[in-house]
Amino acid sequence: MKWKTAISTHKNGELYIRGEALTKLIEKRSFAEAIFLVLKGTFPNKREKEMFDAILVAPIEHGVEAPSAFVARTVASVGNPMNVALAAGFLATGDWHGGAIEQAAKMFQSDKTPAEIVSGALAKKERVSGFGHKIYKEADPRAAAIFAKAKKLKFYGKYAGRAIAIQKELEKQSGKKLPLNIDAAIAAVISELGFDWRLGKAFFALGRLPGIIAHAHEEMVNEKPYRRFEEGDVEYVGKPI
Amino acid sequence: MKWKTAISTHKNGELYIRGEALTKLIEKRSFAEAIFLVLKGTFPNKREKEMFDAILVAPIEHGVEAPSAFVARTVASVGNPMNVALAAGFLATGDWHGGAIEQAAKMFQSDKTPAEIVSGALAKKERVSGFGHKIYKEADPRAAAIFAKAKKLKFYGKYAGRAIAIQKELEKQSGKKLPLNIDAAIAAVISELGFDWRLGKAFFALGRLPGIIAHAHEEMVNEKPYRRFEEGDVEYVGKPI
Amino acid sequence: MKWKTAISTHKNGELYIRGEALTKLIEKRSFAEAIFLVLKGTFPNKREKEMFDAILVAPIEHGVEAPSAFVARTVASVGNPMNVALAAGFLATGDWHGGAIEQAAKMFQSDKTPAEIVSGALAKKERVSGFGHKIYKEADPRAAAIFAKAKKLKFYGKYAGRAIAIQKELEKQSGKKLPLNIDAAIAAVISELGFDWRLGKAFFALGRLPGIIAHAHEEMVNEKPYRRFEEGDVEYVGKPI
Amino acid sequence: MKWKTAISTHKNGELYIRGEALTKLIEKRSFAEAIFLVLKGTFPNKREKEMFDAILVAPIEHGVEAPSAFVARTVASVGNPMNVALAAGFLATGDWHGGAIEQAAKMFQSDKTPAEIVSGALAKKERVSGFGHKIYKEADPRAAAIFAKAKKLKFYGKYAGRAIAIQKELEKQSGKKLPLNIDAAIAAVISELGFDWRLGKAFFALGRLPGIIAHAHEEMVNEKPYRRFEEGDVEYVGKPI
């Protein structure tokens, strides 16, 4: 099997990533700068770097209640190594948990108008990805913090505008208040920074991983094996015995 | 099922992580600082922050040849979402790929002397985790870059000393040159920074994730489905047909 | 969190699955019969049992060249437990490897005519799931074996008819010979047996698992750690160094 | 990368598994017989086949309370494909859930006496794998059903004897009643059938997979996305806010 890649290569006993020597990256660059380079092929300028840090920090942790946290803990609790617990945490993300960044970014990067997007979703009785939240009914404070930084750093442009326009259309067409959430805010910013929407789920994975690690580690250190539900948590609705 | 956690909680519609408001983290902190907080419970000082960035950058990518890269690409190529490709990349790490940080840190944080560690491993015909590398036979330039930064920032202390002492013992007892590699260097630094050895595999996962993302994305964007080996790559050694 | 299930429950210290005592299943039933019960809620009659065995046997193994085999081996080779290697094998299945059963069964269970199905796919330049195979260009012998048994046991009915009709339409509309493969044959039979198309990927997983186990075990017993590609397998197409 | 395998190969457009043509297996063999062939290299005789069916049926399902069931359901509930939900179910097995078969079979296949095994475990304050059960305190009815069949079919030999002897030693040395459970019974039977202990976790995976499938499918068909815990399930024990 043959592989073709533009990401990295070896030369004279040294690894070069997107054309940059890895040892120089270790010497001079922050983690966020190096991530930006790996994913985009160029270094961020100062404004891009600060903006990028903000969208990586925003999803960093959101409680043990989230599937990615309690699934990682459960997999650790039955006796698996750390790398496996983290993988399981990622499997417990998806279209309905962290996945909205991908769909929202795809939508923002498309040619459809906000009115078309909203009417299309309502006609199919689908949610509009990135709008509404189970916990934050009035406004998602994480989205507000991201957009505040985007305004300060001049990344509050075309895509943030589309996000706000969709929010208004949603309220107009559905009559319900479904404020834009962290996923829409991140989607708008990564679009503004020039990232492909297909990286959406990856940005969530990257940002949330530290929280998943903290949960798996807390489980390993503090808890006995092994997590299971009790019979009282279950309602049997099958054939009578 | 009940969960006990010291990592985060909600209060007045806002999430607090290790006691800090998430919106403030988004506003003021870099990704590396926020990771440090999530995993350790305190903010890093300036020296700790710079050191922490370096050990996160060091493993960020190491070629498509690594199992974590080509497995993630393969899983993407058969038609799975991004989060699944990344999870598969993590499953393709383990004791023999990225896993040595955990074992090396456990060893550095133990009470055993370098001589005991080496003679114990040689008696059981086991490798000493963190020493020797398939590609970097003379010296691992990533380890050198990490230790150069550790010296500059005054994190080249007890644990780096133990790493060097084990390297010398290994050469003395085995007669072979098995220089300390990136895993041993990271293990020494996280020990110096006060992290539990059980986070070893997590630090590799965290550092390498951007490279895995870049590979999965490159596969999705540039390649046709689906990766398989050809019959010429296989030698059949079973029952004659 | 509350769970509602019709699959199993405990009564008087004994587990009942779909209303049947597990100890009785152990005493009296074959594995294939018990699987049928768990997935469908009733025992198979004699004809159903023999047909069911055939579609479980058909995908049981197809060489180390398949992603589900070499990914499972790779994950074992870097030092992970057996359950993790098997999980990785499943992640390396998907729409393009074993996933066609799901799409073909959905198509067979839909209201569309074969002509509509084929013209729809050709218009979107999509493959028709379950037709054509990388290796078996003229005919897939596994599909032939399944359909021979279906004829003998009277399960060669409406759905097999739709499969054959689609094959003819495909040749007529595209001018190419794309014979129905194992996925289409299994999809037709599970439809005839009354299974929901959403079980399609599960039937592949179930049937292929023994092959994946054999590969992971062969790797653990016979091979040294750890699998990586060599630099000669890689073409670098990135920035010049 | 080169692969060496004794499991299967192609000849004249036909796949041969352990020397047998796959199309003949489809025509003539049950799923359990084909699994036996794939894993052991020979067909089972009539007694072996019936015994093998019993140990595959025994673990087939054990309630949504088990991590492998609720983790698979959770991963399906956040929007992942079936193969991913099943993989997650496998990640949620391990040393403490289904993993005891491996350790028990290793122990039965070792040279140690029952007295040495028990005293060794008690000295290290470790559980003896395969003895005791959270739910079945007096006796595990699944183990009894397996051993009843083993007696009938003459597979109740050396290894079952070792299992019983360890149970007696455990009661003698610890003063507690820790009856042998399903894992020990399966471990004894696979040892008697000549299978390597390193297949232990694989036998659990194989047997339990139908139950995991049923749960993931029930979730997909009957439930809305997505599963999370409520704040009432969590106790915060971190820094005061």
Side-chain angles (χ1 to χ4, degrees):
Chain A
M1 199 188 294
K2 289 284 176 186
W3 302 92
K4 205 178 268 194
T5 185
I7 301 167
S8 70
T9 195
H10 270 91
K11 191 169 176 184
N12 302 334
E14 165 107 57
L15 185 77
Y16 289 79
I17 301 174
R18 306 289 190 186
E20 306 291 329
L22 174 52
T23 49
K24 290 283 176 234
L25 298 181
I26 298 171
E27 191 191 333
K28 292 172 192 268
R29 297 293 180 166
S30 74
F31 190 35
E33 285 174 300
I35 297 170
F36 196 98
L37 173 73
V38 169
L39 298 183
K40 195 139 192 288
T42 57
F43 285 118
N45 61 29
K46 201 160 167 292
R47 285 168 49 233
E48 287 170 327
K49 182 193 169 307
E50 193 181 337
M51 190 73 245
F52 198 56
D53 268 311
I55 59 163
L56 291 172
V57 169
I60 204 163
E61 155 66 2
H62 210 246
V64 66
E65 300 90 338
S68 51
F70 73 76
V71 163
R73 292 183 80 128
T74 301
V75 166
S77 87
V78 296
N80 288 290
M82 176 61 92
N83 61 309
V84 177
L86 305 182
F90 280 3
L91 296 186
T93 67
D95 286 346
W96 299 97
H97 175 35
I101 300 173
E102 180 180 302
Q103 288 309 309
K106 187 180 184 185
M107 192 165 80
F108 296 160
Q109 294 177 20
S110 78
D111 292 333
K112 294 194 184 150
T113 66
E116 287 166 359
I117 287 165
V118 171
S119 60
L122 294 181
K124 284 188 279 184
K125 299 193 177 181
E126 288 176 3
R127 285 180 50 174
V128 180
S129 295
F131 295 84
H133 194 276
K134 208 151 183 167
I135 294 175
Y136 305 117
K137 304 283 183 193
E138 288 301 311
D140 184 334
R142 302 166 301 173
I146 291 169
F147 272 1
K149 178 145 287 197
K151 278 175 188 160
K152 189 189 118 189
L153 296 169
K154 316 278 183 222
F155 291 109
Y156 191 86
K158 172 183 166 188
Y159 297 101
R162 280 172 69 75
I164 299 289
I166 290 167
Q167 180 179 279
K168 282 185 191 154
E169 275 294 332
L170 253 173
E171 190 163 354
K172 192 174 124 191
Q173 294 192 27
S174 76
K176 277 182 245 168
K177 197 167 179 180
L178 290 163
L180 67 87
N181 60 31
I182 185 177
D183 296 320
I186 292 176
V189 169
I190 63 171
S191 300
E192 199 73 35
L193 290 169
F195 288 101
D196 179 17
W197 61 267
R198 279 169 290 196
L199 285 166
K201 280 176 179 158
F203 278 114
F204 180 71
L206 196 47
R208 180 57 58 91
L209 182 54
I212 299 175
I213 293 170
H215 281 289
H217 185 249
E218 191 179 58
E219 182 79 21
M220 287 174 173
V221 172
N222 292 350
E223 305 291 338
K224 286 190 205 151
Y226 82 106
R227 296 275 184 187
R228 45 179 285 131
F229 279 93
E230 300 303 320
E231 302 208 354
D233 299 314
V234 180
E235 181 190 355
Y236 178 65
V237 295
K239 287 190 194 163
I241 313 299
Chain B
M1 200 188 293
K2 289 284 176 184
W3 301 91
K4 205 179 271 196
T5 185
I7 301 168
S8 71
T9 194
H10 269 91
K11 190 169 177 185
N12 302 332
E14 165 105 56
L15 186 76
Y16 288 80
I17 302 175
R18 304 291 189 185
E20 306 291 329
L22 175 52
T23 50
K24 291 285 176 231
L25 299 180
I26 299 172
E27 191 190 334
K28 293 172 190 266
R29 297 293 181 166
S30 75
F31 190 35
E33 285 174 301
I35 297 170
F36 195 99
L37 173 72
V38 168
L39 299 183
K40 196 139 193 287
T42 57
F43 285 119
N45 62 28
K46 201 161 169 291
R47 285 166 51 233
E48 287 171 329
K49 182 194 170 307
E50 192 181 338
M51 191 72 246
F52 198 56
D53 267 311
I55 60 162
L56 291 172
V57 169
I60 203 162
E61 154 68 1
H62 209 246
V64 66
E65 300 90 338
S68 52
F70 74 76
V71 163
R73 293 184 79 128
T74 300
V75 166
S77 87
V78 296
N80 288 290
M82 177 61 91
N83 61 308
V84 177
L86 304 181
F90 280 3
L91 296 186
T93 67
D95 286 346
W96 299 96
H97 174 34
I101 300 172
E102 180 180 303
Q103 288 310 310
K106 186 179 184 185
M107 191 164 81
F108 296 160
Q109 294 176 20
S110 77
D111 292 332
K112 293 191 185 154
T113 66
E116 287 165 357
I117 287 166
V118 171
S119 61
L122 293 181
K124 285 188 279 184
K125 298 194 177 183
E126 287 176 4
R127 284 180 52 176
V128 180
S129 295
F131 295 83
H133 195 276
K134 207 152 184 165
I135 294 175
Y136 305 118
K137 304 284 185 192
E138 288 301 312
D140 185 334
R142 304 166 299 175
I146 291 169
F147 272 1
K149 177 145 287 197
K151 278 175 189 160
K152 190 189 118 191
L153 296 169
K154 318 277 184 221
F155 291 109
Y156 192 85
K158 170 182 167 190
Y159 298 101
R162 280 172 69 76
I164 299 290
I166 291 167
Q167 181 179 279
K168 282 185 190 153
E169 274 295 331
L170 253 174
E171 191 163 354
K172 190 173 126 191
Q173 294 192 26
S174 77
K176 277 183 245 168
K177 199 168 178 179
L178 289 164
L180 66 90
N181 61 32
I182 186 177
D183 297 319
I186 292 175
V189 169
I190 62 172
S191 299
E192 199 72 36
L193 289 169
F195 289 102
D196 178 18
W197 62 267
R198 278 168 291 196
L199 285 165
K201 280 175 179 159
F203 277 113
F204 180 71
L206 195 49
R208 180 57 58 88
L209 182 55
I212 299 175
I213 292 171
H215 281 289
H217 184 248
E218 192 178 58
E219 183 80 20
M220 286 174 174
V221 172
N222 291 350
E223 305 291 339
K224 286 189 205 152
Y226 86 104
R227 297 275 182 187
R228 44 178 285 132
F229 279 92
E230 299 303 319
E231 301 208 355
D233 299 314
V234 179
E235 182 190 354
Y236 178 66
V237 295
K239 286 190 193 163
I241 312 299
Chain C
M1 199 189 293
K2 289 284 175 185
W3 302 91
K4 205 179 268 195
T5 185
I7 300 168
S8 70
T9 195
H10 269 91
K11 191 171 177 182
N12 303 333
E14 164 106 58
L15 186 77
Y16 289 79
I17 301 174
R18 305 291 189 187
E20 306 290 330
L22 174 52
T23 50
K24 292 283 177 231
L25 299 180
I26 298 172
E27 190 190 334
K28 292 173 189 266
R29 298 293 180 165
S30 74
F31 189 35
E33 285 175 300
I35 298 170
F36 196 99
L37 173 72
V38 169
L39 299 183
K40 196 139 191 290
T42 56
F43 285 118
N45 62 28
K46 202 161 168 291
R47 286 167 49 236
E48 286 170 328
K49 182 194 170 305
E50 193 180 338
M51 191 72 246
F52 198 57
D53 267 313
I55 59 162
L56 291 172
V57 169
I60 203 163
E61 155 67 2
H62 209 245
V64 65
E65 300 91 338
S68 51
F70 74 76
V71 163
R73 293 183 79 128
T74 302
V75 166
S77 87
V78 296
N80 288 290
M82 177 61 92
N83 61 309
V84 177
L86 305 182
F90 280 4
L91 296 186
T93 68
D95 287 346
W96 298 96
H97 174 35
I101 299 172
E102 180 180 302
Q103 288 309 308
K106 187 181 183 184
M107 190 166 81
F108 296 161
Q109 295 176 20
S110 79
D111 291 331
K112 293 191 185 154
T113 67
E116 287 165 357
I117 287 165
V118 171
S119 61
L122 294 181
K124 286 188 278 185
K125 297 193 178 184
E126 287 177 2
R127 286 180 49 175
V128 180
S129 295
F131 296 83
H133 194 276
K134 207 151 184 166
I135 294 174
Y136 304 118
K137 304 283 184 191
E138 288 301 311
D140 184 335
R142 302 165 301 174
I146 291 169
F147 272 1
K149 177 144 288 195
K151 278 176 189 159
K152 190 190 117 189
L153 296 169
K154 316 278 185 222
F155 291 108
Y156 192 85
K158 171 183 167 189
Y159 297 100
R162 279 172 70 74
I164 298 290
I166 290 167
Q167 181 179 279
K168 282 184 188 153
E169 274 295 331
L170 252 175
E171 190 163 356
K172 192 172 125 192
Q173 292 192 28
S174 76
K176 277 182 246 168
K177 198 168 178 180
L178 289 164
L180 68 87
N181 60 32
I182 186 177
D183 296 320
I186 293 175
V189 169
I190 63 171
S191 299
E192 199 72 35
L193 290 170
F195 288 101
D196 179 17
W197 61 268
R198 278 169 291 196
L199 285 166
K201 280 175 180 159
F203 278 114
F204 179 72
L206 196 47
R208 180 56 60 90
L209 182 55
I212 299 175
I213 292 171
H215 281 290
H217 185 248
E218 191 179 57
E219 183 79 21
M220 286 174 174
V221 172
N222 291 349
E223 305 291 337
K224 284 187 206 153
Y226 83 106
R227 297 275 182 187
R228 45 179 285 132
F229 279 92
E230 299 302 321
E231 301 206 356
D233 299 313
V234 180
E235 182 189 353
Y236 178 64
V237 294
K239 287 191 193 161
I241 312 301
Chain D
M1 200 189 290
K2 290 284 175 185
W3 301 93
K4 204 178 271 195
T5 185
I7 301 168
S8 70
T9 195
H10 269 90
K11 190 170 179 184
N12 303 331
E14 165 105 57
L15 185 76
Y16 289 79
I17 301 174
R18 305 289 189 186
E20 307 290 329
L22 174 52
T23 49
K24 291 283 177 234
L25 299 181
I26 298 172
E27 191 190 333
K28 293 171 190 267
R29 296 293 180 165
S30 74
F31 190 35
E33 285 175 300
I35 297 169
F36 196 98
L37 173 73
V38 169
L39 298 183
K40 194 137 192 288
T42 57
F43 285 119
N45 61 29
K46 202 162 167 291
R47 285 168 49 235
E48 287 170 329
K49 182 193 169 309
E50 193 180 337
M51 191 73 245
F52 198 56
D53 267 312
I55 59 162
L56 291 171
V57 169
I60 203 162
E61 155 68 0
H62 209 245
V64 66
E65 299 91 338
S68 52
F70 75 76
V71 163
R73 293 183 80 128
T74 301
V75 165
S77 87
V78 297
N80 288 290
M82 177 61 92
N83 61 309
V84 177
L86 304 182
F90 280 3
L91 296 187
T93 67
D95 287 346
W96 298 97
H97 174 36
I101 300 173
E102 181 180 302
Q103 288 310 309
K106 186 179 184 185
M107 192 165 80
F108 297 160
Q109 295 176 20
S110 78
D111 291 332
K112 292 192 186 152
T113 66
E116 287 165 358
I117 289 166
V118 171
S119 60
L122 294 182
K124 285 188 279 184
K125 297 193 178 185
E126 287 177 3
R127 283 180 51 175
V128 180
S129 295
F131 295 83
H133 194 276
K134 207 151 182 164
I135 294 175
Y136 304 118
K137 303 285 183 191
E138 287 301 310
D140 184 335
R142 302 166 301 173
I146 291 169
F147 272 1
K149 177 145 288 197
K151 278 175 189 160
K152 188 188 120 190
L153 296 168
K154 317 275 184 222
F155 291 109
Y156 192 86
K158 171 182 166 188
Y159 298 101
R162 279 172 70 75
I164 298 289
I166 290 166
Q167 180 179 279
K168 282 185 192 155
E169 274 294 332
L170 253 174
E171 191 164 353
K172 191 173 125 192
Q173 295 191 26
S174 77
K176 278 184 245 168
K177 198 168 179 180
L178 290 164
L180 67 88
N181 60 32
I182 186 177
D183 296 319
I186 292 176
V189 168
I190 63 172
S191 299
E192 198 74 35
L193 289 169
F195 288 102
D196 179 16
W197 62 268
R198 279 168 293 196
L199 285 166
K201 280 175 179 158
F203 277 113
F204 180 71
L206 196 47
R208 179 57 59 89
L209 182 54
I212 298 175
I213 293 171
H215 280 289
H217 185 248
E218 191 178 58
E219 182 79 21
M220 287 175 173
V221 173
N222 292 350
E223 304 292 338
K224 287 190 205 152
Y226 80 106
R227 296 276 182 187
R228 43 179 285 132
F229 279 92
E230 299 305 319
E231 301 208 356
D233 300 313
V234 180
E235 181 189 356
Y236 177 66
V237 294
K239 285 190 194 162
I241 313 299

